Amino acid sequence: MSFIEELENIDLEIPKGGLSAKIALAKKEKRPLRVKLGLDPTKPDIHLGHYVVLRVLRKFLKIGAKIFLVVGDFTAMIGDPSGRDKTRPPLTHQEIQRNAQTYVEQLGRVLDTSKIEVVFNSTWLSKISLENFIKILAKFNLSEILARDDFKQRFNGGFPIAMHELIYPLMQAYDSYYLKADVEIGGSDQLFNMQMGRSLQEAFAESAQVIITTPLLIGIDGVNKMSKSLNNYIAITEEPKDIYAKILAIPDSLIPDYLKLVCDLPKAKKRELLARLQKNVNPFLIKKELAFQIVCQFYDKKAAKDSEEYFYRQFEEEDIKKKIYLKKTFSDLGINKEKFTLLDLVFALGVRNSKSEARRLILQGAVSVNGEKIKDPYFIFKNPKTPLFIRAGQKDFFSIS
Amino acid sequence: MSFIEELENIDLEIPKGGLSAKIALAKKEKRPLRVKLGLDPTKPDIHLGHYVVLRVLRKFLKIGAKIFLVVGDFTAMIGDPSGRDKTRPPLTHQEIQRNAQTYVEQLGRVLDTSKIEVVFNSTWLSKISLENFIKILAKFNLSEILARDDFKQRFNGGFPIAMHELIYPLMQAYDSYYLKADVEIGGSDQLFNMQMGRSLQEAFAESAQVIITTPLLIGIDGVNKMSKSLNNYIAITEEPKDIYAKILAIPDSLIPDYLKLVCDLPKAKKRELLARLQKNVNPFLIKKELAFQIVCQFYDKKAAKDSEEYFYRQFEEEDIKKKIYLKKTFSDLGINKEKFTLLDLVFALGVRNSKSEARRLILQGAVSVNGEKIKDPYFIFKNPKTPLFIRAGQKDFFSIS
């Protein structure tokens, strides 16, 4: 599998020709590919949202790319000089160093950090003269900057935009120019700033970086982008049992995204899980597998098993039943509750593709009703007490009423 | 007469309380008032348009103010980095020094330059760190900057505004902050930039400068602001005879403005000239007095007389007649051309307020017709050959047909 195919495997949209050309150029110039990833030093906790990007970085590490982790300390040390944004107090040099160190330690859990160079953009930005900065500014028109969604909305809405905010994207762009980045990776909300990097490189007659954007991960609230400030995040350093429980708590609608964006299972396995989800399998069971896998990624199998057991110990049997049994009604299934056979029911639940497969499942002793195994496909129910708890095979649980 | 009354005498709009308070403060702090005037080092020729401001500066010099002539060399050395404005090639340090020197030499003709300090804003602007500049930017919102007329028009018209242009007003504002200017003087087209100076001083908890704007002088084309690039200017270093001729060439409609803005005659004398203008006196004669005075201001009386003589030598008698004789028609004057007396005519011309004064003028021998003195008020004309050239007193010439 080629490198680009591998990247596509993790569901990224990549400017194919551009990236291939960059890789070829680096090879021709006998130097490593230069890959840039920006970090916000004001938020030092790495969570699953970051992991979306880190998975890509890992691919680049594998092909021997030089990774620059750019700590945006220059503006972090300035904070918000207008004083409006109370959430951005200026950080001291010490705080930033500490945060950067924390970052690297966390990254060490998922990446080989020995091949990553952490750089601080104050190193070069603090040395730019006003004269040179004016020459950078001159490369852009106001309308280009105001094209950024948040600026556009605020401007059109009559909300103030402080002048210094307008130039922050250009400083991030300058980082790319200074580092001679071949590739910049970032969340899709960084697309505009990364494009400014391309523009600036081109304005100074350098080859423009290729941009790889990763989708934003929705937080466990199911609504907003995962972020620390919204407290809808799962930090990669959290206790295994907490990661496990939080994954189980995500809305079912997020399962496909989480599988796609933060789960390192082989693509075939993910496809299988998605297929089961589409076939009415209880989503809770899919989440259990997802949670198990995520804990494995940041810890190991032992930790994942312990987390699972811990989770079950927290709940009474009935609670778990409520959680893991997919609710169905007889009328949903087209079954006359007055009288039906076990085979009628198991087939109607759709856990197997044909009636003969469903029959085989029962004969194998893989189906139990209210905790009791029943091996007779033609066992007859007459107006049973509801809900009826059915387990069909290892993974499918139903409560029917 | 108080200082502020003197300023009002030269027709300026001055924030009275503000200026008085500044003068009082400087006095209390036992230091000179700090007055700032910005100069564009790309246009080193001082013309009458500048003289409007210099007259004010002279007043401040008289009260012992400290005058800072700020040479905007910082941006002049950068030029237009976007390359769009071909009229703004970057100047070298040497060119700017030379232009500044030229400036001071020219100023020496009209001001005591020994009391003026010429400063170059690159001295401080080249030393601002990007960090500090960001803190300056943060004091302003985009909407405040876009309020400047030319920006607003371009923005609303969909014309590009390069990012560096937006920050130029802030650099000029910073000059005021750096120099701790009490007062800034400038043409009314500089009002916005000077107000930015006030905002910046206040943002950094300094007392805001008082702004004195002078009206823009229309150039000799009668249409546009006087400027070198439009070639509608009168440089203060031009030859006396050229200044004289150019003043004579201004459209009559500009006479009141020129009297008000660039003429140093006493206010009473100016009022008299304006009154004569309103009373149908030939405007050419007023311009002659204006031209004479302007040459006196930049040279001396001898030069003014020589210029006048030179001017007359250039033209045949008839040409001069065409120029200096105010054209009237008999019907304008309500005179029956078939038959009228000299007194009828002189009174109708309005050069004196009453018929008896007009009669006295004729009796004094101050009226001549076609070059011949006529002392009889009741001299009768019958359908005379036209145009009839009349001189009434020293200053009023008419050609009547």
Side-chain angles (χ1 to χ4, degrees):
Chain A
M1 202 189 302
S2 82
F3 176 64
I4 289 179
E5 282 166 346
E6 272 197 49
L7 286 181
E8 283 170 350
N9 250 344
I10 46 175
D11 289 297
L12 289 175
E13 283 178 32
I14 294 164
K16 285 181 216 195
L19 185 55
S20 301
K22 285 284 185 185
I23 292 172
L25 181 71
K27 200 170 172 182
K28 190 182 149 205
E29 293 178 353
K30 297 193 171 107
R31 59 167 179 85
L33 191 73
R34 300 168 72 86
V35 177
K36 174 195 170 197
L37 174 68
L39 284 188
D40 180 351
T42 64
K43 295 165 188 152
D45 291 273
I46 296 190
H47 53 60
L48 273 188
H50 298 106
Y51 190 64
V52 183
V53 174
L54 298 180
R55 293 174 70 218
V56 183
L57 220 52
R58 195 156 49 194
K59 298 275 183 196
F60 278 99
L61 276 174
K62 271 192 192 153
I63 60 160
K66 167 106 184 159
I67 310 281
F68 293 99
L69 219 56
V70 184
V71 180
D73 66 329
F74 182 69
T75 50
M77 284 195 281
I78 296 173
D80 178 27
S82 71
R84 273 191 292 251
D85 188 352
K86 304 292 180 208
T87 66
R88 294 193 57 210
L91 297 189
T92 65
H93 183 67
Q94 286 70 27
E95 287 168 318
I96 286 165
Q97 288 287 342
R98 196 164 52 232
N99 286 352
Q101 187 53 37
T102 313
Y103 243 125
V104 173
E105 281 165 17
Q106 295 172 77
L107 286 183
R109 293 172 179 248
V110 289
L111 293 177
D112 178 0
T113 49
S114 69
K115 289 173 187 162
I116 290 177
E117 185 172 346
V118 179
V119 290
F120 295 82
N121 69 1
S122 66
T123 314
W124 51 87
L125 289 178
S126 66
K127 292 198 190 85
I128 294 188
S129 67
L130 184 54
E131 179 177 344
N132 282 331
F133 192 68
I134 286 170
K135 289 176 181 167
I136 294 167
L137 285 177
K139 304 295 185 188
F140 296 92
N141 284 331
L142 174 61
S143 54
E144 291 172 83
I145 308 286
L146 283 185
R148 200 172 84 172
D149 279 343
D150 57 332
F151 287 152
K152 206 190 316 177
Q153 281 165 21
R154 283 161 65 191
F155 189 79
N156 292 339
F159 298 103
I161 302 173
M163 286 298 291
H164 72 292
E165 297 181 78
L166 289 178
I167 66 164
Y168 275 20
L170 301 186
M171 290 193 273
Q172 195 169 326
Y174 186 81
D175 294 345
S176 292
Y177 165 71
Y178 180 85
L179 292 169
K180 298 182 190 299
D182 294 306
V183 178
E184 180 165 9
I185 307 176
S188 57
D189 55 348
Q190 291 298 309
L191 177 61
F192 178 89
N193 294 343
M194 296 194 286
Q195 281 170 336
M196 288 287 113
R198 284 176 58 84
S199 300
L200 191 65
Q201 287 172 316
E202 282 174 344
F204 286 110
E206 300 267 344
S207 167
Q209 64 187 6
V210 167
I211 294 171
I212 297 180
T213 56
T214 55
L216 299 180
L217 190 72
I218 300 294
I220 58 176
D221 58 0
V223 179
N224 297 299
K225 174 190 165 188
M226 181 174 283
S227 82
K228 197 183 179 190
S229 48
L230 293 173
N231 199 25
N232 64 353
Y233 70 109
I234 303 176
I236 68 169
T237 54
E238 287 186 58
E239 289 293 304
K241 64 179 172 47
D242 294 330
I243 294 179
Y244 188 90
K246 281 185 172 181
I247 293 284
L248 287 187
I250 64 171
D252 297 345
S253 59
L254 290 187
I255 296 173
D257 264 10
Y258 274 55
L259 273 175
K260 175 174 154 179
L261 299 174
V262 294
C263 173
D264 292 335
L265 286 170
K267 203 161 185 178
K269 176 68 185 170
K270 292 190 194 182
R271 258 200 301 269
E272 186 208 311
L273 289 171
L274 282 172
R276 283 173 57 203
L277 199 62
Q278 279 156 5
K279 270 194 198 152
N280 271 334
V281 166
N282 186 342
F284 186 81
L285 298 169
I286 308 294
K287 281 197 276 189
K288 270 185 63 183
E289 296 205 34
L290 181 65
F292 193 93
Q293 168 62 23
I294 301 287
V295 175
C296 286
Q297 287 171 202
F298 302 135
Y299 295 90
D300 53 24
K301 219 162 194 166
K302 166 93 172 51
K305 273 183 182 155
D306 291 348
S307 300
E308 191 175 42
E309 279 168 24
Y310 177 85
F311 179 78
Y312 280 94
R313 277 201 305 277
Q314 302 303 301
F315 300 96
E316 295 300 316
E317 175 73 6
E318 283 305 305
D319 285 330
I320 291 176
K321 271 187 184 162
K322 274 184 208 148
K323 275 192 183 294
I324 71 174
Y325 283 69
L326 186 63
K327 285 194 182 77
K328 295 279 177 183
T329 65
F330 287 103
S331 61
D332 280 350
L333 300 168
I335 297 258
N336 179 1
K337 193 189 160 201
E338 299 303 314
K339 187 181 175 190
F340 58 93
T341 67
L342 181 58
L343 180 58
D344 290 337
L345 183 60
V346 171
F347 179 63
L349 287 169
V351 294
R352 287 298 180 275
N353 287 327
S354 66
K355 209 152 189 170
S356 60
E357 282 179 48
R359 190 169 159 271
R360 198 154 48 242
L361 193 71
I362 299 169
L363 290 171
Q364 284 164 357
V367 175
S368 51
V369 178
N370 290 338
E372 269 181 54
K373 199 177 286 176
I374 302 179
K375 286 187 163 184
D376 177 6
Y378 303 104
F379 183 94
I380 291 172
F381 294 89
K382 285 183 178 169
N383 211 6
K385 181 171 167 277
T386 57
L388 200 64
F389 290 101
I390 307 278
R391 172 172 174 169
Q394 287 298 309
K395 294 160 184 166
D396 296 325
F397 298 75
F398 302 90
S399 99
I400 301 154
S401 48
Chain B
M1 202 189 303
S2 82
F3 175 64
I4 290 180
E5 282 166 346
E6 273 198 49
L7 285 181
E8 282 170 350
N9 249 345
I10 45 175
D11 289 298
L12 289 175
E13 283 178 31
I14 294 164
K16 285 181 215 194
L19 185 55
S20 301
K22 285 283 186 186
I23 292 172
L25 181 72
K27 200 170 173 185
K28 190 182 149 204
E29 293 179 353
K30 297 192 170 105
R31 59 168 179 84
L33 191 74
R34 299 167 73 85
V35 177
K36 173 195 171 197
L37 174 68
L39 285 188
D40 180 351
T42 63
K43 295 165 189 153
D45 291 273
I46 296 190
H47 52 60
L48 273 188
H50 298 106
Y51 190 64
V52 183
V53 174
L54 298 180
R55 292 175 70 219
V56 184
L57 220 52
R58 195 155 50 194
K59 297 276 183 195
F60 278 99
L61 276 175
K62 270 191 193 153
I63 60 161
K66 167 106 184 158
I67 309 280
F68 293 99
L69 219 57
V70 184
V71 180
D73 66 329
F74 182 69
T75 50
M77 284 195 282
I78 297 173
D80 178 28
S82 71
R84 274 190 292 252
D85 187 352
K86 304 290 180 210
T87 66
R88 294 193 57 208
L91 296 190
T92 64
H93 183 66
Q94 285 71 26
E95 287 168 319
I96 286 165
Q97 289 286 343
R98 195 163 54 232
N99 286 351
Q101 187 52 39
T102 313
Y103 244 125
V104 173
E105 281 165 16
Q106 295 171 78
L107 286 183
R109 293 172 178 247
V110 289
L111 293 177
D112 178 0
T113 49
S114 69
K115 289 173 186 163
I116 289 177
E117 186 173 345
V118 179
V119 290
F120 296 82
N121 69 1
S122 66
T123 314
W124 51 88
L125 288 179
S126 67
K127 291 196 190 86
I128 293 188
S129 66
L130 184 54
E131 179 177 344
N132 282 330
F133 192 68
I134 286 170
K135 288 176 181 168
I136 294 167
L137 286 177
K139 304 294 185 189
F140 297 92
N141 284 332
L142 174 61
S143 54
E144 292 172 84
I145 308 287
L146 283 185
R148 200 172 85 172
D149 279 344
D150 58 332
F151 287 152
K152 206 189 317 179
Q153 281 165 21
R154 283 161 64 191
F155 189 79
N156 292 339
F159 297 103
I161 301 173
M163 285 298 291
H164 72 291
E165 296 181 78
L166 288 178
I167 67 165
Y168 275 20
L170 302 185
M171 290 193 272
Q172 195 169 325
Y174 186 81
D175 295 345
S176 292
Y177 165 72
Y178 180 85
L179 292 170
K180 298 181 191 298
D182 293 306
V183 178
E184 180 164 8
I185 307 176
S188 58
D189 55 348
Q190 290 299 309
L191 177 61
F192 178 89
N193 294 342
M194 296 195 285
Q195 281 170 337
M196 288 286 113
R198 284 176 58 84
S199 301
L200 191 65
Q201 287 172 317
E202 282 175 343
F204 285 110
E206 301 266 345
S207 167
Q209 64 187 6
V210 167
I211 294 172
I212 297 180
T213 56
T214 54
L216 299 180
L217 190 73
I218 299 294
I220 58 176
D221 57 1
V223 179
N224 297 299
K225 174 190 165 189
M226 181 174 283
S227 82
K228 197 182 179 192
S229 47
L230 292 173
N231 199 24
N232 64 353
Y233 70 108
I234 303 176
I236 68 169
T237 53
E238 286 186 57
E239 289 293 305
K241 64 179 171 48
D242 294 330
I243 294 178
Y244 188 90
K246 280 185 173 183
I247 293 283
L248 287 186
I250 65 171
D252 297 345
S253 59
L254 290 187
I255 296 173
D257 264 11
Y258 275 56
L259 273 176
K260 175 173 155 181
L261 298 174
V262 295
C263 173
D264 292 334
L265 286 170
K267 202 161 185 177
K269 177 68 186 168
K270 291 190 194 181
R271 257 199 302 268
E272 186 208 310
L273 289 171
L274 282 173
R276 283 173 57 203
L277 199 61
Q278 278 155 7
K279 270 193 198 151
N280 271 333
V281 166
N282 186 345
F284 186 81
L285 298 169
I286 309 294
K287 281 196 276 189
K288 269 187 61 185
E289 296 204 33
L290 181 65
F292 193 92
Q293 168 62 23
I294 301 287
V295 175
C296 285
Q297 288 170 202
F298 303 135
Y299 295 91
D300 54 25
K301 220 162 191 164
K302 165 97 173 49
K305 273 182 183 156
D306 291 348
S307 300
E308 191 175 41
E309 279 169 24
Y310 177 85
F311 179 78
Y312 280 94
R313 277 201 305 278
Q314 303 303 301
F315 299 96
E316 295 299 318
E317 175 73 6
E318 282 306 305
D319 285 329
I320 291 176
K321 272 186 184 163
K322 273 183 208 148
K323 275 193 184 293
I324 72 173
Y325 284 69
L326 186 64
K327 286 195 181 76
K328 295 278 178 186
T329 65
F330 287 103
S331 61
D332 280 350
L333 299 169
I335 296 260
N336 179 0
K337 193 188 160 201
E338 299 302 315
K339 187 181 176 191
F340 57 94
T341 65
L342 181 58
L343 180 58
D344 290 337
L345 183 61
V346 171
F347 179 64
L349 288 169
V351 294
R352 288 298 180 274
N353 287 326
S354 67
K355 208 152 190 170
S356 59
E357 283 180 47
R359 190 168 160 270
R360 196 152 51 241
L361 192 71
I362 299 169
L363 290 171
Q364 285 163 357
V367 175
S368 52
V369 178
N370 291 338
E372 270 180 54
K373 200 178 284 176
I374 302 180
K375 286 187 163 183
D376 175 7
Y378 304 105
F379 182 94
I380 290 172
F381 294 89
K382 286 183 179 170
N383 213 6
K385 181 172 167 275
T386 57
L388 200 64
F389 291 101
I390 306 278
R391 173 174 174 167
Q394 287 299 309
K395 294 159 184 166
D396 296 325
F397 299 75
F398 302 90
S399 101
I400 301 154
S401 48

